[in-house]
Amino acid sequence: MKEKGLTAAGGLMKSVENLERWENRVKDLEAIKAWFKAKKIPLNQQFTMLPDGMEWYTSAKLKDAKETVLMLKSMKEKSEKASNEMSDLTKELIENGAVNQWAKKPIYYFVKGLRKVALVIDEGGNFKVSKKYPATSDKDQAYLEALGIKS
């Protein structure tokens, strides 16, 4: 399922790799909304009058899909911008394999040898410790400082 970009339940993963699929989902949901509007089907009958193969529409689904597309686009732009403006230390750590870029959310670079410790690239092109995946122990912080990354 993961290879297809789907969760175990069959839904789309919120991943930059699935951005095009999310954009298509927004288009599909908007088309379904327009179909219901054109047929003048009331909300209370939409579920029973749904043609075969058509996904059930709710405004919450459409809103969530649109927000996901915006979030994934901004994440992709940040990642591309950061990869263009890297410091020498940042490039060196990536080339040495000391950090791995997360394919699902490419703004995060996980540190090899540390558990759940990620870095992000700041405006200056330098690595800084992520707020979402911080170094929690003194040992982890010492390892980061040995790599040349300030907390």
Side-chain angles (χ1 to χ4, degrees):
M1 294 286 261
K2 276 191 173 182
E3 299 86 35
K4 296 180 182 178
L6 302 174
T7 63
L12 278 176
M13 282 197 281
K14 292 185 178 183
S15 165
V16 173
E17 297 166 340
N18 280 344
L19 179 59
E20 189 175 322
R21 288 182 179 180
W22 277 102
E23 289 171 338
N24 289 340
R25 182 179 174 138
V26 168
K27 289 177 189 172
D28 292 345
L29 288 170
E30 287 175 339
I32 293 168
K33 179 182 177 182
W35 184 83
F36 279 126
K37 224 174 198 175
K39 299 280 183 179
K40 296 183 181 170
I41 299 173
L43 282 173
N44 61 353
Q45 295 178 3
Q46 285 184 0
F47 186 68
T48 57
M49 301 188 77
L50 199 63
D52 290 338
M54 191 179 270
E55 184 180 357
W56 191 48
Y57 165 80
T58 64
S59 58
K61 272 187 183 181
L62 180 59
K63 181 182 176 199
D64 178 56
K66 284 181 177 180
E67 288 173 355
T68 301
V69 166
L70 290 174
M71 184 243 336
L72 293 175
K73 279 184 178 179
S74 71
M75 195 175 292
K76 186 176 181 180
E77 288 171 7
K78 282 182 187 176
S79 172
E80 290 170 353
K81 182 180 175 187
S83 64
N84 292 338
E85 303 170 2
M86 288 189 207
S87 69
D88 293 335
L89 175 65
T90 303
K91 287 179 186 175
E92 181 184 329
L93 290 174
I94 292 171
E95 290 169 4
N96 290 347
V99 294
N100 288 332
Q101 188 174 21
W102 190 12
K104 184 177 173 183
K105 296 186 178 171
I107 59 170
Y108 295 111
Y109 291 82
F110 283 96
V111 181
K112 274 193 178 177
L114 299 181
R115 184 165 167 80
K116 293 187 178 180
V117 177
L119 307 171
V120 293
I121 299 175
D122 63 8
E123 297 82 27
N126 298 310
F127 274 131
K128 68 177 184 178
V129 179
S130 162
K131 291 179 183 175
K132 189 168 185 172
Y133 302 100
T136 53
S137 70
D138 293 334
K139 184 180 173 184
D140 292 350
Q141 290 175 350
Y143 186 80
L144 290 174
E145 287 176 11
L147 288 175
I149 299 161
K150 299 168 184 79
S151 299

